[in-house]
Amino acid sequence: NQKFRELKDEFGDVGLMTGDTVINESASCLVMTTEVLRSMLYRGGEVMREVGWVIFDEIHYMRDFERGVVWEETVHFLPDAVRYVFLSATIPNAKEFAEWIVKMHGHPCHLVYTDYRPTPLEHYIFPKGGDGIYLSFDRDNKFRQDNFLKAINAIAPASDGYAANKTANRTETGGGGSGDGKGKGEEMKHLEVYKIVKMIADKNYDPCIVFTFDKKMIEEQAKALDRLDLNSDTEKSMIDAIFEASIAQLSPEDKNLPQVVKILPMVKRGIGFHHSGLLPVLKEVIEILFQEGLIKVLIATETMSTGLNMPCRSVVFTAPRKYDGAEFGYRWISSGEYVQMSGRAGRRGLDDRGLVVLMMDERMDPQIAKGMLHGRSDPLNSAFRLHYPMLLNLMRMEGGEECERLIKRSFKQFQTDRDIPKLELKCAQLAAARDAVAVPDEAKVEEYVNLRDTLSVLRGERRGWLNHPDVALQFLQVGRCVKVCARDPRQIAEEAARAGEDGGVAQLAASSVASEWGVVVKHTRDGSEYLVDVALNVEEQPRDARRPRKGNLGRFRVRPMNWDGKAPLEGEEDEWTGASRDLEPRVVQVPLSQVDSLSSVRIYTPKELVSIEGRMRVQRAMNEVVKRFPDGVPMLDPESDMKIDQDNFRKLMRRIEGLEAMMARHPLHGSPDLEDKVKLFARRRELGLRHKIAKRSLKAAQGMIHKDDLRHMQRVLRRLNHTNEDGVVAMKGQVACEITSADALVTTELVFDGLFKELSLEMCVAVVAALTERVGTAGKDPKDIKMSEECKDAYERVRVAAQSVGKQMSECKVLDTSVNDFMNSFRPEMMELCREWAKGTKFETCMKVAPRGMYEGSVVRSIRRINEVLWQLKGAMAIIGDAGLRDKFEECQNLVKRDIVFADSLFL
């Protein structure tokens, strides 16, 4: 909308096409979303026959996991005769991208770039508890290490409330911290932000954007600036006039919404906030006031830095870490994110320099800081993936061969092909390293290792018994000393199986994983799985490390509790690069299956584990336990302590005892150099497995990516009768083609099941809400959420359809979770709210039944997405000739499209 306004003011004959707005569609210049353009390309049309140029603004969105594939489909399907312009400020691998365009469309792609900023930036660090800011990167891009070290040394000790609170952010899953410490920490944080903002205002370095990575914290920080008044009386009068004109379209009730009422006094003082939870009309008011220079300080999330053309003079980061989802917890900001956000500072033609201030509340290694402050943008890596509407549309247009053609022409395939020489070199290096390992007495060593491997597998089976929730949960009390596997054994088994190993080798790989000591903090349930929070000594890994199946341990590498990181661990000498950075005890979350064994020892743990001091006390206590039991920390006895009374378990224990006796009788047992020989054998075998995995990766790279996924997904479509055996799209497939904003398969099943014909208009809207809302209360069973009987019955029908689809997907090896988890991913939290909205209930009343903690802007976004799905369903019904359902979905649209949720954009 903002781009449409700018171009219309400049050129006049400009049109707009989005999911819910069409203006002047016959204009010579059309501004549209990539989703609309993709839809046009799939269906053809007059516009696509006449288009000469397509400009992709912010092409780096192609790396976005959710929407990136839409951009890639669009670039693929555009005719070769069309010319393209791709705009981005943050693509370091632009040459690679240009080469892909040349290969795909067969005409030159010129790179026009600058490798410097027209307005230079100065990067400062503000240490918490310090008195001033320290220049760390000057305008000539020189790193001032002395200043940086002074700033780090000025950081207040972690024992104060502020430090304790921020460290909590780093391990959100950690045990409950004390409320007083947290409150004090937040108060200190707001005071620090106030000091920085006041300094910026006093020195006329505004306008300023303050980036905060927490929506709740944003509003609190804006309130904490209530002593500042940065606007003159004339500017306040202008704000009054603009604000009143902007909300004039709202009803009297909507004008009195809490969010609308509380924002005006704040913006009149020149302070605003901006995040995804704001009502769209308020977001646009904020953006307009900021562009007009009437808001001097804007506190915002990182969405402010992407897609919106809103430069300023200075930028402030309130923390060097951000939350990256439950799997990864809090992590350092990547250099790409820092570049994107700090790039808002310094207005071309207005400022001689831009100022960036990073508030630092914890010590950071200079190399990490240097990489962040002056690193490169994140490379543009393809987020291409297959989805069912894409496959059905391609099969409908061109047949099954077009699916393979799209995959082969994708940017992901292009990047994979370019990696082949690196993979070939890796295979050769691993083969050479494997052959270079000579094992003395190899036959006897192999015999001994086979015995030990069998014993490991049996112990892995025992771990499965001990980790059963019925057995283990009662012993997961706070303070229990446990051994935790470095990685989830299930994930290791899956990787070995993917590398082509048989079930026995995969099982051995899973059972042989190393484990280290930790201390239980708490345990929770997540759907069908139990997760355990454990205090462990861990080292942070790169952000692109393999994602765990559950929990957040994938972001960390488990280390021995007594390791200080100053020397390499045994077996890791080859990869040692110097003293370990970012090593500390943290509370991390692991699935119950990753707990190796439970000891009979419990230690005292402080109630407050959010501060580094609390966690270090736990580390010292655990190390003391290991020291006091030189022969091994005593473990819980499975039969006498854990009360496992099963014949199969007793047989397993007898087999373990028998194997232990056989190993004791082996000729090599007791040999002084046995361990050295075994290590050599294990090293050779590990290199052999890595070589097999590398060869498998090379073979996959030499072939077509997603080949198996395509075959499996096509089988799902045949089983659900979306296509026939010849690949011809049936009526169900024609409906699923149109559904791109909800799960196409489950939605189509409900259409053909007759659910939408049976339900009232309001309940149809509620069902669509359950189909679009895929994120709910973590760990809460959907059946436990309070709903009316009508909503419960309708939601149960959604679950039945999801179960039917999930079962087929699971059998065809498409589903990467359990069928139950797939069913639970359809959330009912928004059903009651959307039903009330469709009944005509006022927005303020609807918010009273909104899920806890949900912002008004998020509710608006959900209802707009529901309208989008209703529009797609209406189109699908028109295609298959069901006039009754088409009219019904149109009536549903008329019910939801009203009042503040669909208020006109101020840019139009």
Side-chain angles (χ1 to χ4, degrees):
N1 292 344
Q2 186 187 26
K3 193 66 65 181
F4 166 72
R5 176 72 169 270
E6 290 172 1
L7 295 177
K8 191 171 187 304
D9 290 346
E10 181 74 23
F11 302 109
D13 187 25
V14 178
L16 176 70
M17 297 183 74
T18 65
D20 50 14
T21 307
V22 176
I23 298 172
N24 192 16
E25 59 185 312
S26 60
S28 60
C29 172
L30 284 174
V31 179
M32 64 176 70
T33 61
T34 41
E35 283 80 2
V36 169
L37 180 56
R38 178 184 64 172
S39 181
M40 284 180 162
L41 288 165
Y42 275 139
R43 283 160 192 72
E46 195 64 32
V47 173
M48 293 321 302
R49 283 193 287 273
E50 295 179 6
V51 69
W53 287 82
V54 177
I55 300 171
F56 289 89
D57 196 14
E58 312 285 4
I59 187 63
H60 52 260
Y61 268 111
M62 216 171 85
R63 69 165 77 99
D64 181 74
F65 178 76
E66 290 295 329
R67 295 185 61 218
V69 65
V70 180
W71 290 66
E72 202 158 327
E73 284 176 79
T74 307
V75 174
H76 168 87
F77 285 117
L78 281 166
D80 291 344
V82 174
R83 292 296 178 260
Y84 321 99
V85 179
F86 303 98
L87 304 176
S88 176
T90 54
I91 299 186
N93 57 331
K95 185 180 178 185
E96 181 185 42
F97 179 80
E99 288 169 353
W100 174 59
I101 297 297
V102 171
K103 182 182 178 184
M104 183 164 53
H105 287 296
H107 52 72
C109 185
H110 304 280
L111 279 179
V112 183
Y113 68 94
T114 54
D115 52 7
Y116 65 93
R117 281 186 57 88
T119 307
L121 295 182
E122 291 181 349
H123 301 265
Y124 293 84
I125 287 179
F126 178 85
K128 75 161 185 70
D131 295 325
I133 58 176
Y134 296 78
L135 179 63
S136 297
F137 253 106
D138 60 26
R139 65 174 72 191
D140 297 322
N141 290 326
K142 290 179 182 172
F143 184 53
R144 304 281 191 89
Q145 183 148 333
D146 291 346
N147 277 358
F148 176 80
L149 292 174
K150 284 178 190 173
I152 292 300
N153 291 330
I155 291 176
S159 56
D160 65 32
Y162 178 22
N165 175 48
K166 187 54 202 163
T167 313
N169 284 350
R170 301 173 64 181
T171 53
E172 185 176 76
T173 57
S178 65
D180 293 343
K182 187 172 181 181
K184 181 186 172 188
E186 288 179 357
E187 191 178 322
M188 288 285 290
K189 181 61 162 267
H190 301 332
L191 184 61
E192 303 279 12
V193 173
Y194 175 83
K195 283 163 67 175
I196 286 282
V197 170
K198 190 167 188 320
M199 179 203 75
I200 286 170
D202 289 346
K203 293 183 179 292
N204 293 321
Y205 288 143
D206 54 63
C208 164
I209 298 177
V210 179
F211 284 113
T212 297
F213 306 113
D214 183 325
K215 282 186 282 198
K216 185 180 176 186
M217 191 72 77
I218 281 177
E219 297 192 19
E220 291 175 359
Q221 286 175 355
K223 285 179 195 169
L225 301 177
D226 57 1
R227 289 177 286 168
L228 288 178
D229 190 344
L230 308 175
N231 279 340
S232 65
D233 290 341
T234 305
E235 288 172 322
K236 288 177 182 174
S237 300
M238 291 170 66
I239 290 171
D240 268 327
I242 293 171
F243 194 85
E244 287 304 319
S246 300
I247 66 169
Q249 60 176 311
L250 304 184
S251 66
E253 293 87 352
D254 289 341
K255 286 179 182 177
N256 288 318
L257 285 169
Q259 225 180 50
V260 178
V261 171
K262 73 181 178 184
I263 208 163
L264 180 58
M266 196 178 293
V267 296
K268 284 175 74 173
R269 291 185 286 105
I271 295 160
F273 59 85
H274 187 289
H275 58 71
S276 60
L278 267 183
L279 290 162
V281 67
L282 294 183
K283 270 202 282 193
E284 291 185 344
V285 171
I286 296 285
E287 289 161 16
I288 289 168
L289 292 174
F290 188 76
Q291 286 173 323
E292 295 298 324
L294 297 171
I295 287 181
K296 307 297 193 298
V297 176
L298 182 62
I299 305 174
T301 53
E302 64 185 302
T303 51
M304 193 74 195
S305 68
T306 55
L308 288 172
N309 180 27
M310 297 182 66
C312 57
R313 189 169 184 187
S314 55
V315 160
V316 176
F317 293 86
T318 59
R321 288 186 183 261
K322 63 171 282 193
Y323 189 59
D324 197 24
E327 290 89 353
F328 292 102
Y330 280 81
R331 60 164 176 81
W332 298 117
I333 306 166
S334 74
S335 62
E337 290 164 337
Y338 185 86
V339 166
Q340 182 76 37
M341 287 181 271
S342 63
R344 299 299 99 185
R347 298 163 297 175
R348 189 183 301 192
L350 292 175
D351 303 322
D352 63 334
R353 58 181 174 148
L355 270 69
V356 184
V357 180
L358 175 63
M359 295 177 67
M360 193 79 79
D361 52 11
E362 55 183 302
R363 294 173 189 273
M364 179 190 273
D365 186 276
Q367 289 306 112
I368 295 176
K370 195 172 181 179
M372 180 196 293
L373 300 178
H374 193 59
R376 300 174 70 209
S377 302
D378 294 328
L380 177 59
N381 292 323
S382 173
F384 181 82
R385 59 189 168 84
L386 299 177
H387 55 92
Y388 291 104
M390 172 208 286
L391 297 185
L392 289 165
N393 271 303
L394 290 171
M395 293 167 78
R396 184 177 65 175
M397 289 164 55
E398 307 285 349
E401 298 78 17
E402 184 64 20
C403 299
E404 292 190 10
R405 182 169 175 268
L406 171 62
I407 294 171
K408 287 174 181 175
R409 281 162 54 97
S410 70
F411 189 40
K412 190 169 187 178
Q413 180 76 63
F414 181 79
Q415 290 184 309
T416 303
D417 291 345
R418 287 171 66 98
D419 286 340
I420 288 175
K422 294 178 193 170
L423 290 169
E424 288 174 338
L425 178 62
K426 184 179 179 182
C427 280
Q429 289 173 336
L430 285 169
R434 177 199 61 200
D435 296 340
V437 178
V439 184
D441 296 328
E442 188 167 355
K444 287 184 178 179
V445 172
E446 185 174 6
E447 187 181 276
Y448 183 83
V449 168
N450 285 340
L451 283 173
R452 197 158 82 168
D453 287 347
T454 307
L455 185 61
S456 290
V457 171
L458 293 178
R459 285 173 175 165
E461 286 182 34
R462 181 180 65 182
R463 181 170 63 220
W465 277 90
L466 301 182
N467 282 351
H468 192 281
D470 292 345
V471 175
L473 289 183
Q474 59 186 313
F475 296 101
L476 293 178
Q477 302 101 326
V478 178
R480 172 80 61 190
C481 297
V482 295
K483 293 205 87 171
V484 175
C485 298
R487 288 183 59 202
D488 189 347
R490 296 172 304 177
Q491 194 167 358
I492 294 173
E494 288 169 7
E495 287 171 15
R498 280 200 296 271
E501 300 292 356
D502 59 36
V505 175
Q507 193 177 6
L508 172 61
S511 61
S512 303
V513 62
S515 60
E516 299 295 348
W517 282 107
V519 179
V520 173
V521 175
K522 67 174 182 178
H523 68 273
T524 54
R525 184 171 184 168
D526 180 13
S528 58
E529 184 130 34
Y530 286 92
L531 301 174
V532 188
D533 288 5
V534 188
L536 291 163
N537 195 31
V538 292
E539 185 177 15
E540 192 158 358
Q541 295 197 96
R543 189 183 172 199
D544 60 352
R546 186 176 297 280
R547 285 170 67 98
R549 285 173 45 141
K550 289 280 188 179
N552 65 357
L553 188 51
R555 181 180 148 218
F556 302 105
R557 193 173 185 181
V558 180
R559 311 313 249 156
M561 264 291 191
N562 59 357
W563 188 54
D564 60 7
K566 292 179 180 175
L569 289 167
E570 191 175 341
E572 293 185 9
E573 292 85 359
D574 293 347
E575 56 184 276
W576 180 249
T577 57
S580 174
R581 303 177 191 131
D582 238 349
L583 173 80
E584 66 177 59
R586 303 178 191 241
V587 179
V588 294
Q589 196 172 62
V590 299
L592 180 56
S593 58
Q594 200 163 336
V595 175
D596 185 40
S597 51
L598 302 168
S599 82
S600 58
V601 178
R602 286 178 63 190
I603 61 174
Y604 168 76
T605 58
K607 287 184 180 178
E608 186 274 298
L609 276 180
V610 291
S611 70
I612 183 65
E613 279 77 11
R615 286 175 278 134
M616 288 186 76
R617 279 199 294 273
V618 172
Q619 182 186 34
R620 287 193 292 269
M622 184 70 247
N623 288 334
E624 185 61 30
V625 167
V626 174
K627 197 183 295 182
R628 287 190 185 186
F629 294 99
D631 298 329
V633 179
M635 312 306 289
L636 288 172
D637 185 271
E639 295 182 54
S640 61
D641 295 327
M642 304 181 83
K643 309 297 182 189
I644 301 178
D645 186 21
Q646 299 273 348
D647 287 339
N648 288 339
F649 183 75
R650 281 191 282 271
K651 286 178 186 174
L652 174 65
M653 293 302 292
R654 282 198 293 273
R655 288 176 66 195
I656 290 173
E657 289 162 6
L659 268 171
E660 287 172 342
M662 287 175 68
M663 285 181 67
R665 293 194 298 270
H666 194 275
L668 288 180
H669 188 73
S671 171
D673 58 352
L674 173 62
E675 280 307 310
D676 292 335
K677 290 177 180 177
V678 168
K679 280 177 187 174
L680 283 171
F681 187 87
R683 176 70 175 160
R684 179 170 177 149
R685 186 169 62 181
E686 182 206 354
L687 288 167
L689 179 60
R690 284 168 60 187
H691 179 248
K692 278 187 179 180
I693 292 172
K695 277 180 70 178
R696 185 90 169 186
S697 300
L698 176 61
K699 188 177 178 182
Q702 289 169 334
M704 186 181 76
I705 61 167
H706 294 306
K707 185 177 180 181
D708 292 339
D709 293 340
L710 176 62
R711 191 173 73 251
H712 296 155
M713 291 172 78
Q714 287 176 332
R715 189 182 301 152
V716 170
L717 292 174
R718 285 194 299 272
R719 286 192 176 194
L720 292 173
N721 299 318
H722 288 260
T723 61
N724 63 20
E725 291 298 323
D726 299 323
V728 177
V729 178
M731 187 180 286
K732 281 179 82 172
Q734 290 177 18
V735 171
C737 276
E738 304 298 312
I739 313 300
T740 56
S741 300
D743 188 287
L745 301 187
V746 175
T747 304
T748 304
E749 287 300 309
L750 292 172
V751 169
F752 282 84
D753 189 38
L755 178 63
F756 290 109
K757 286 186 176 178
E758 300 168 20
L759 297 177
S760 64
L761 297 175
E762 294 85 2
M763 283 308 304
C764 285
V765 173
V767 167
V768 174
L771 292 168
T772 56
E773 198 67 25
R774 300 297 295 273
V775 179
T777 311
K780 191 165 185 177
D781 193 316
K783 293 177 181 176
D784 296 335
I785 294 166
K786 291 181 181 178
M787 290 184 285
S788 64
E789 286 303 317
E790 207 174 351
C791 282
K792 275 184 182 175
D793 293 343
Y795 178 65
E796 193 53 41
R797 294 280 291 274
V798 173
R799 286 177 62 84
V800 169
Q803 184 180 33
S804 171
V805 170
K807 185 180 177 186
Q808 297 298 340
M809 290 169 70
S810 181
E811 289 175 2
C812 296
K813 300 179 182 176
V814 174
L815 204 61
D816 56 0
T817 62
S818 68
V819 174
N820 193 55
D821 284 349
F822 178 70
M823 291 163 62
N824 287 341
S825 72
F826 295 89
R827 307 298 303 187
E829 280 91 342
M830 288 290 290
M831 288 183 74
E832 287 291 352
L833 186 151
C834 292
R835 181 189 183 199
E836 289 300 316
W837 180 252
K839 284 181 177 179
T841 307
K842 291 298 177 185
F843 188 79
E844 186 175 13
T845 308
C846 288
M847 283 303 299
K848 291 175 182 174
V849 293
R852 187 178 175 187
M854 195 168 192
Y855 286 86
E856 291 89 335
S858 303
V859 170
V860 168
R861 201 160 52 251
S862 292
I863 296 175
R864 286 185 171 183
R865 191 171 179 194
I866 289 164
N867 176 65
E868 205 174 295
V869 176
L870 290 169
W871 179 76
Q872 292 166 2
L873 283 166
K874 183 179 74 174
M877 294 306 100
I879 288 172
I880 65 172
D882 192 331
L885 263 183
R886 181 200 63 201
D887 293 343
K888 189 169 188 177
F889 288 129
E890 187 170 7
E891 288 180 60
C892 290
Q893 274 192 283
N894 294 334
L895 291 179
V896 299
K897 288 185 74 171
R898 63 181 178 85
D899 296 347
I900 196 166
V901 174
F902 286 88
D904 293 335
S905 169
L906 303 179
F907 290 111
L908 303 181

